[in-house]
Amino acid sequence: MEFKNVYFLGIGGIGMSALARYFLHEGRAVAGYDRTPSPLTGELEAEGAAIHYEDDVRLIPEGFLDPKETMVVYTPAVPQDHGEYRYFCDHGFCVEKRSQMLGHLAEGKYVMAVAGTHGKTTTSTMVAWLNRALTGGGSAFLGGISKNFGGNLVLGDGRRLAVEADEFDRSFLQLYPDVAVVTSADADHLDIYGTHEAVKEAFSQFVRQIRPGGSLIVKQGVDIVIDNPEISLWRYSFDEPCDFYARNVQLLEGGHYRYDLVTPSGTFEGCTLGIPGWVNIENAVAAVASVWCAARAEGGSLDGDSLRGALASFSGVKRRFEFYINTPKQVYMDDYAHHPRELAATLTSVRKMFPGRRITALFQPHLYTRTRDLHAEFAEALSLADEVVLLPIYPAREEPIPGVTSEIIARRVAVPCRIVDRDRLADEVAAMDSEVVISFGAGNIDACCGAIAERLRAKS
């Protein structure tokens, strides 16, 4: 790309910040706007990006006002009437969505994409880590902060590129992967798609875009049309026999597991994963399938000892099944889950990890439309806990919808449930008789994690 400067509208988003870091690494001048400061924007500023937090054209750095020298990248969360967005569109700048830019950067790479309405961040991060551990190289644009890499951008040798393929706004249709994982295709983002059938059709189109000779790895039971005759099709599951699955799964101390990983070329016995939870074993099966396909395409295979070491050393993603406290008396973990299926999977996993212990779920609903469309499903999933505390809905990009509040979830929850404001959450949790506490949500509930952990440690 010939532009000297790259300007980001929504630079603090997890996907946008990875692109900003990439261009900083490439020596481009980077600037941008976001609504609020965050740890991510603070890190970007320390790395050299010029960032402001008001929608004001006058705050755009002077060097970024020449359309011949500045490329503009925006997130779909930025509204069409945003002042800076309108300025760039009206003054002849090249303006592209984040997904379009990611598509450009993926050109010429061996693209290993992970798609799905849940599970994609952890799985794509595992793919990136396995690439690095098994080949010494590989790059990645991730949708979360990898604890192994210390960030959401991975730069390394070789053609392998692991990417999170986001279905929001049909962004993943900008990608043409060589290997694609589909973890799920549940009803979500119905404000964009309208119907579940439209969601599934978008996933089918994504599958059609896998390059000839490539591979699709789809979770057993995912119901989408697969009509790309030029690819190999593989199925994976947690422990249901198919092409890739775990067997002889044994629960260890602290919610970790030992298992054998079955692949079409043989079984890797005695695997352990560096993070707990059966749902992460399922994610690991998908990630191993992805690197197995990549090795096969290169004419190679996976080394058992190296694979076991890589899985054992995977340290997870911030806000994905992240433990703050894990002692015999008290457990506190935080998770990004914001869809009913994700909540149910995590609560089921935690119930298996800590049998017989009381589970308290803290949940901040994300988006009015999602709450309106899925409130009954949220209530059903949350009822897998022993008690529930709800926060008010986090609006993100949306305006309120009359009658849509956390109350429409609360009145359907089948276990004790109450609603509290976010600034009271840590005190509320400290006053409870709790054993296992889990906070959920994609909004700003994570800002409470430190205070909750501190209060629970002091109490125990």
Side-chain angles (χ1 to χ4, degrees):
M1 299 183 67
E2 67 277 11
F3 295 100
K4 287 171 53 180
N5 312 317
V6 188
Y7 190 87
F8 290 87
L9 289 166
I11 194 169
I14 192 69
M16 292 282 278
S17 59
L19 292 176
R21 283 193 160 119
Y22 171 81
F23 283 109
L24 284 167
H25 179 269
E26 292 294 298
R28 310 294 173 90
V30 171
Y33 155 86
D34 209 277
R35 287 201 312 178
T36 54
S38 68
L40 268 179
T41 58
E43 290 168 11
L44 288 172
E45 289 184 88
E47 293 167 26
I51 303 176
H52 60 269
Y53 302 94
E54 295 177 55
D55 177 12
D56 187 342
V57 172
R58 294 170 298 179
L59 297 177
I60 300 169
E62 186 175 350
F64 288 74
L65 295 174
D66 183 351
K68 295 178 182 176
E69 296 193 339
T70 300
M71 171 84 193
V72 179
V73 182
Y74 72 99
T75 170
V78 169
Q80 297 291 298
D81 61 356
H82 188 273
E84 293 184 25
Y85 173 77
R86 293 274 22 116
Y87 172 84
F88 288 122
C89 290
D90 294 343
H91 287 81
F93 287 78
C94 181
V95 179
E96 288 195 344
K97 288 183 180 179
R98 178 191 67 85
S99 57
Q100 292 172 293
M101 178 58 71
L102 183 59
H104 294 320
L105 297 179
E107 291 172 5
K109 297 288 190 180
Y110 184 88
V111 178
M112 305 170 72
V114 180
T117 43
H118 43 266
K120 57 184 175 286
T121 300
T122 299
T123 306
S124 58
T125 305
M126 285 182 181
V127 172
W129 178 242
L130 292 175
N131 280 338
R132 178 59 53 89
L134 298 177
T135 74
S139 300
F141 291 97
L142 303 173
I145 302 300
S146 162
K147 293 185 176 181
N148 289 98
F149 293 109
N152 53 353
L153 172 68
V154 180
L155 298 171
D157 296 333
R159 291 183 60 234
R160 292 191 190 185
L161 175 67
V163 295
E164 178 173 328
D166 188 3
E167 75 281 358
F168 174 69
D169 199 42
R170 297 179 171 82
S171 292
F172 61 171
L173 299 185
Q174 300 293 331
L175 294 170
Y176 293 83
D178 295 278
V179 178
V181 174
V182 175
T183 67
S184 48
D186 295 325
D188 199 8
H189 303 301
L190 297 183
D191 55 322
I192 301 292
Y193 287 98
T195 66
H196 189 191
E197 285 306 312
V199 175
K200 294 196 289 187
E201 170 52 32
F203 277 94
S204 294
Q205 179 57 39
F206 175 69
V207 168
R208 293 181 196 113
Q209 294 179 190
I210 299 172
R211 293 170 181 161
S215 296
L216 169 64
I217 302 149
V218 63
K219 184 180 171 183
Q220 188 88 314
V222 169
D223 178 24
I224 58 172
V225 172
I226 299 169
D227 55 4
N228 184 341
E230 298 186 84
I231 62 173
S232 299
L233 171 62
W234 309 95
R235 300 277 181 179
Y236 81 94
S237 75
F238 169 53
D239 61 357
E240 182 181 344
C242 55
D243 298 311
F244 298 87
Y245 67 100
R247 73 181 183 198
N248 298 328
V249 180
Q250 305 166 51
L251 178 62
L252 307 176
E253 188 176 355
H256 290 262
Y257 290 87
R258 179 180 291 111
Y259 58 98
D260 300 336
L261 205 161
V262 180
T263 76
S265 60
T267 301
F268 298 97
E269 297 181 346
C271 295
T272 58
L273 191 62
I275 55 174
W278 73 263
V279 69
N280 285 317
I281 303 304
E282 182 176 274
N283 293 332
V285 171
V288 169
S290 181
V291 296
W292 183 91
C293 288
R296 181 171 175 260
E298 295 164 358
S301 60
L302 300 182
D303 175 74
D305 288 340
S306 298
L307 179 63
R308 279 184 282 269
L311 291 169
S313 61
F314 179 72
S315 51
V317 184
K318 285 183 182 282
R319 296 224 62 219
R320 268 59 172 196
F321 228 85
E322 183 175 14
F323 280 81
Y324 282 75
I325 304 171
N326 190 357
T327 70
K329 286 189 175 181
Q330 181 72 62
V331 173
Y332 171 50
M333 59 174 285
D334 177 56
D335 193 81
Y336 191 72
H338 54 283
H339 184 278
R341 287 283 183 91
E342 296 170 328
L343 291 172
T346 301
L347 286 167
T348 301
S349 188
V350 169
R351 184 73 74 187
K352 290 179 179 178
M353 289 160 58
F354 304 107
R357 298 177 72 177
R358 181 175 179 80
I359 297 175
T360 302
L362 319 174
F363 178 53
Q364 181 187 46
H366 183 259
L367 300 177
Y368 293 104
T369 52
R370 184 181 283 128
T371 305
R372 177 197 63 200
D373 295 337
L374 301 173
H375 62 277
E377 291 87 346
F378 276 123
E380 182 179 2
L382 288 165
S383 296
L384 295 170
D386 295 296
E387 63 179 332
V388 175
V389 177
L390 295 175
L391 272 62
I393 296 169
Y394 183 81
R397 59 188 178 270
E398 295 185 338
E399 297 298 321
I401 297 173
V404 178
T405 68
S406 294
E407 177 61 34
I408 66 173
I409 298 175
R411 58 177 172 247
R412 288 175 174 261
V413 173
V415 298
C417 177
R418 58 190 179 280
I419 302 170
V420 304
D421 290 331
R422 189 170 67 95
D423 57 4
R424 289 181 42 231
L425 184 60
D427 291 337
E428 193 80 14
V429 174
M432 293 178 178
D433 181 18
S434 65
E435 293 181 286
V436 178
V437 179
I438 318 168
S439 50
F440 294 106
N444 59 4
I445 190 173
D446 60 309
C448 304
C449 292
I452 292 171
E454 184 178 340
R455 298 296 298 274
L456 288 174
R457 284 193 196 100
K459 179 181 170 184
S460 60

